[in-house]
Amino acid sequence: MKSRKTGSGHSGGGFSGPQGGAESIGLGWIAVIVLLALSVRMIVLWQLSQNNPAFALPQVDSQWHYQWARSLAAGNWIGDGVFYRAPLYPYLLGIWFTIIGDGFWPIRILQALIGAVSAGLVGVVGARAFDRRVGITAGLIWALYGPMIYYETEFLIPVLVIPLNLIAILLALKSAGQPGRLGRWLGVGLIVGLSAIARPNILLAVPAFWLWSWVQSPLQRAAVPPRRWLAPVILTFGILIPIIPVTLHNYIVGDDAVLISYQGGVNLYLGNNPDADGVTMQMPDVRLDESVEWDEFVDVTDSVAQEQAGRTLKPSEISAHWTGKAVDYILDNPGTTLWRWLKKTYYALNGYEVGDQTNIYTHTQYSSLLAPLVNKTIIYFPFGLIGALAFFALPRAWRDPVRTRPLILFAVLYVLTVVPFLATARHRLPFAVVMVIFAAVGFWSIWTMWRKRVWMNAGVATVGVIILIVALNRPTTEHLMFNPAFDLYQQALVLDKRGEFYEAIGLYEEAIRIEPRHLASRLHLAYDLVRVAENDSAIAASFEYMRYEKDNPDLINNMGHAYLGMGDTVKAKASWRIAARIKPSMPQPFMNLAELSLAQGEVAEAVNYYRGAITADSTYTVAYNNLAMIYAKAGNFDQAIYLLRAVTRHVPDHATSWANLGAVLLDNNKAKDAIEPLNRALELNPQLTEIRFNLAVAYLGIEDPDNAVAQLNTVLEKIPDHPQARALLERIEAVRRGEGPPP
């Protein structure tokens, strides 16, 4: 009689036990999973590109990453200081843009490919941890996992973090029970380190990898490998290898000892403050809404931290400041904090997909294929089902201390990295992918019980899963997040970015009808009414807003523009003065006052207001440049040069400031000094033709006609009828022929 293979599962468990596993799903199934995943992703991409008005308008985090990558591709690889966010994902985008070129489609196609490969990796990991059918099932589930498919169409970090985590887990599974394989554990550490410089959360899950590297298989317990403790050490060393260059960058470029990024402190405070709800960005110190760009958010939170501290802070100190405020709140409110953390744990495990920057359920209307893959018709599908099956499987998976127990520990630790912060859909994806594997285990466990007619066990298991489904699909989270006014507001923001202001006004008004206290909609309604020159209506909308909140400096600053549009300069100035008094760190009211004063011929008053704008924000480039031009026009070149050199120190990548510095030096007959700033301006923006003309004049000033001619020819290539360049070139050529005096 032939012996029966033992790798197919136990009678009641449905998956291989501690002695089984380490199976392969085969290249054929990997190909099926990857091709299915890629096909679905490409169809969803196409449908979103045709139907979603925001497809070409990245929002919030996506916009931040996209702009960062474009800056890198333009040559700013070193950066200007400490990383606020972990840099790996934007740097990979930047490399891609450098090789392939800018554009939304190429990077989204690349991300679809990465997502498809990730589905294949899920299959391989599932087979290695359990058995072949678990791997195939898990891979197919992830290929069709709607939330991940959606987030892969955005410019967000999970598209990179998840495959890195899967590779690290796969390498750990292959080496599990073999602490002596030090080279393999170094490789595991390298991948974990790369994941950390994409999203540092995984550092808190490193104990799971330590456990994999430490535990022994039953066959090895009799003979303890020598230097067993070396495996976790080598693993940790591998983790540090990708991190050290990032730390050195922060120290050398930013003069601050920051391990990876300094975002952690403010993120912790966002999750632990009097206004925090666990799913949205709320803090009492700063007014936030979805229209705030990330760079503006960083500038504001950094400035507020320094105002509260009463001194200039390094990035590490800014992070420590917000961390301290969060810890103080936690210690002062232990009961409230514990209750909030319990709620956030439930939010993280609930089936509802909490969107922190966009509502994923709203976006499903733009894709007929995505809609069934993320829906809430009966239950919150898919996680409402995945989570229930996964929880059912966890006790069975716990039986294997070598392979699957560390996998459970990884999922638990990753959940704990989410709970103190914001429990949103994209932040739970790195542990959701592990839950998918456990869900496949749960499915096959119950299926095997029914197939083998173990009726009692099968019935109890099925009832248990149903109870879990009910528990994880309660509408608590949806009720917290359900806000049709907010959805309309987000759609209006997209229309604003597209310049469709009248359409946006209609949506803001509809949002206000639904929720009269939706202040963000009221504020942006007033903005757009000014943009379309309906100034009377803007003033009326502003006073309606003031029924709920009187001292909003942004609103009052906007009212100044409305009054100016109505021709009432007295009320315009009064509005801007009030806004400046309410928020002295806000430069825009000072700038508006300066420009109006200048238009009215009050130059001295304009100078004072420009200085006020600079005091409010030392990086406000427009104020520096405008004030410098006033001084230059008055013949005070020294003061103009001082201001322009100051702004180039504060904002070294601002091409216009370098160009103005060169122009003022040139006007002050300092041609030699003008060449360096003009060349720097060209490096930053080669398209600024006037810089080349000024550079040609500077070269003539140091008697270098060859370089002058080269610059003038470049100008004429771009603008053939440029009169000044043509005239200057002709004079140079005449001099060379001996037909006239030097220009």
Side-chain angles (χ1 to χ4, degrees), residues 269-277 282-285 325 329 333 336 340:
Y269 185 61
L270 284 170
N272 300 275
N273 68 71
D275 295 346
D277 61 14
Q282 300 291 334
M283 56 194 296
D285 313 68
K325 286 178 69 72
Y329 178 81
N333 303 274
T336 301
R340 283 183 177 176

Side-chain angles (χ1 to χ4, degrees), residues 406-567:
L407 190 61
I408 294 174
L409 180 61
F410 174 86
V412 171
L413 290 175
Y414 211 98
V415 171
L416 295 179
T417 72
V418 171
V419 167
F421 301 95
L422 298 179
T424 65
R426 66 183 170 109
H427 293 126
R428 77 176 175 190
L429 286 171
F431 71 82
V433 68
V434 177
M435 297 290 276
V436 161
I437 296 172
F438 290 132
V441 173
F443 169 78
W444 283 111
S445 296
I446 296 173
W447 177 267
T448 301
M449 293 177 195
W450 284 110
R451 183 174 60 82
K452 294 189 174 182
R453 300 181 181 181
V454 186
W455 304 119
M456 179 63 71
N457 290 350
V460 171
T462 302
V463 170
V465 169
I466 292 172
I467 292 172
L468 285 169
I469 289 173
V470 172
L472 297 181
N473 286 273
R474 295 185 64 220
T476 306
T477 315
E478 182 180 6
H479 287 167
L480 175 68
M481 295 300 296
F482 180 70
N483 189 339
F486 175 76
D487 289 344
L488 290 166
Y489 167 71
Q490 285 196 314
Q491 295 174 47
L493 288 179
V494 173
L495 294 172
D496 274 343
K497 289 196 172 187
R498 295 172 61 175
E500 300 174 11
F501 300 123
Y502 283 106
E503 292 81 357
I505 286 170
L507 291 181
Y508 290 133
E509 290 175 338
E510 186 177 349
I512 292 166
R513 281 194 295 272
I514 294 171
E515 186 182 335
R517 294 188 64 88
H518 198 265
L519 297 186
S521 291
R522 288 191 177 277
L523 184 62
H524 285 268
L525 172 62
Y527 290 163
D528 280 359
L529 288 169
V530 171
R531 289 183 178 124
V532 299
E534 294 188 11
N535 297 301
D536 290 337
S537 298
I539 295 298
S542 299
F543 280 113
E544 282 295 313
Y545 180 100
M546 288 182 179
R547 293 172 56 195
Y548 304 97
E549 183 180 9
K550 291 183 178 180
D551 296 330
N552 184 326
D554 297 297
L555 177 79
I556 297 170
N557 181 66
N558 187 65
M559 289 176 71
H561 290 293
Y563 282 125
L564 185 64
M566 296 164 63

Side-chain angles (χ1 to χ4, degrees), residues 46 57 71 77 150 167 222 233 252 276 300 307 354 384 388 413 445 459 467 518 526-527 592 682:
W46 174 253
L57 293 168
S71 172
W77 293 102
Y150 167 72
I167 293 170
V233 173
I252 294 170
V300 170
E307 286 177 11
V354 177
L413 290 175
S445 296
I467 292 172
H518 198 265
Y527 290 163
N592 296 331
L682 270 182

Side-chain angles (χ1 to χ4, degrees), residues 555-627:
L555 177 79
I556 297 170
N557 181 66
N558 187 65
M559 289 176 71
H561 290 293
Y563 282 125
L564 185 64
M566 296 164 63
D568 192 337
T569 57
V570 174
K571 287 185 178 179
K573 276 192 171 184
S575 298
W576 290 327
R577 285 171 180 151
I578 292 170
R581 186 173 67 249
I582 294 172
K583 190 174 182 181
S585 62
M586 182 177 173
Q588 290 86 353
F590 293 102
M591 189 71 185
N592 296 331
L593 286 163
E595 292 183 342
L596 181 54
S597 297
L598 198 61
Q600 293 175 333
E602 300 169 351
V603 178
E605 192 173 349
V607 167
N608 288 332
Y609 284 131
Y610 279 130
R611 290 195 174 278
I614 292 170
T615 301
D617 184 353
S618 62
T619 65
Y620 204 63
T621 57
V622 181
Y624 281 101
N625 281 277
N626 287 10
L627 183 55

Side-chain angles (χ1 to χ4, degrees), residues 252-272:
I252 294 170
V253 178
D255 190 29
D256 197 8
V258 174
L259 185 65
I260 297 174
S261 61
Y262 76 98
Q263 182 185 15
V266 73
N267 280 357
L268 184 64
Y269 185 61
L270 284 170
N272 300 275

